[in-house]
Amino acid sequence: MMNDAKGNETGMTVMTEVVARLLFAPSLVVALAVLIKGYADTGDGFNAGVIASLGILIQFVSFGYERASRLPLVRHIPTFGVAFGLTLALLPAFVPLFFGQNLFTHWPPPGAEVITFGTLEIITAVAFDVGVFLLVFGFGVGAINFVARATAEGVSADDSDRPEETL
């Protein structure tokens, strides 16, 4: 794609880029709110991960692969998010086995005192949802980065590999 007079390779206007920058932090805040809201009402780590990934997608659409791939979240969250998220999501499932309990045994048990952080109760569901959030967010950012890189490099299906159509 050609650069315009301001070096804009995506063909987006300055207004589009400003709006994309302004929407980035709120998308992460909304994702965090959805993640936390799940313990008081409906909400979960999967939806929060998708919302945060969409915030990254807006950056790629607005700025293009070269500029958006320089974001620290884009460089580090695919590896960290998938590895740490999967580990954190599996811990509540398998740690109870080491104490002779069933898979996914809830901690703290019913009737026990719950540790709180503000109004958020720290229970096994919190660890599981945060793990799912990191896993979905890491995968989403990695997939977006992969597709954006392939598009930027002009990778497409080669016609010589396709079988010829017969009439």
Side-chain angles (χ1 to χ4, degrees):
M1 190 172 282
M2 299 192 88
N3 290 347
D4 64 6
K6 297 178 183 173
N8 185 348
E9 67 182 42
T10 61
M12 294 292 167
T13 64
V14 173
M15 180 66 135
T16 305
E17 292 181 359
V18 169
V19 170
R21 285 182 200 266
L22 290 174
L23 288 175
F24 184 58
S27 70
L28 298 179
V29 171
V30 168
L32 183 63
V34 168
L35 179 65
I36 291 173
K37 185 178 180 251
Y39 307 108
D41 200 11
T42 306
D44 61 344
F46 183 84
N47 291 336
V50 170
I51 292 168
S53 295
L54 289 175
I56 296 290
L57 180 62
I58 291 171
Q59 304 306 304
F60 274 96
V61 169
S62 298
F63 297 110
Y65 172 73
E66 292 297 324
R67 289 174 60 195
S69 64
R70 289 187 227 136
L71 287 169
L73 276 177
V74 173
R75 287 193 311 252
H76 303 297
I77 201 67
T79 304
F80 171 78
V82 170
F84 187 67
L86 184 60
T87 303
L88 190 59
L90 290 176
L91 280 176
F94 293 107
V95 167
L97 289 177
F98 296 116
F99 298 104
Q101 298 174 345
N102 295 328
L103 289 172
F104 283 108
T105 300
H106 184 69
W107 183 87
E113 187 175 333
V114 178
I115 300 169
T116 60
F117 181 73
T119 58
L120 179 66
E121 296 178 340
I122 307 300
I123 56 178
T124 53
V126 172
F128 180 75
D129 265 356
V130 169
V132 169
F133 165 75
L134 288 172
L135 183 63
V136 170
F137 185 43
F139 176 79
V141 171
I144 290 166
N145 190 27
F146 178 77
V147 170
R149 182 177 59 230
T151 303
E153 293 173 355
V155 176
S156 63
D158 187 6
D159 290 332
S160 64
D161 292 343
R162 293 185 186 171
E164 292 186 28
E165 294 182 20
T166 56
L167 296 176

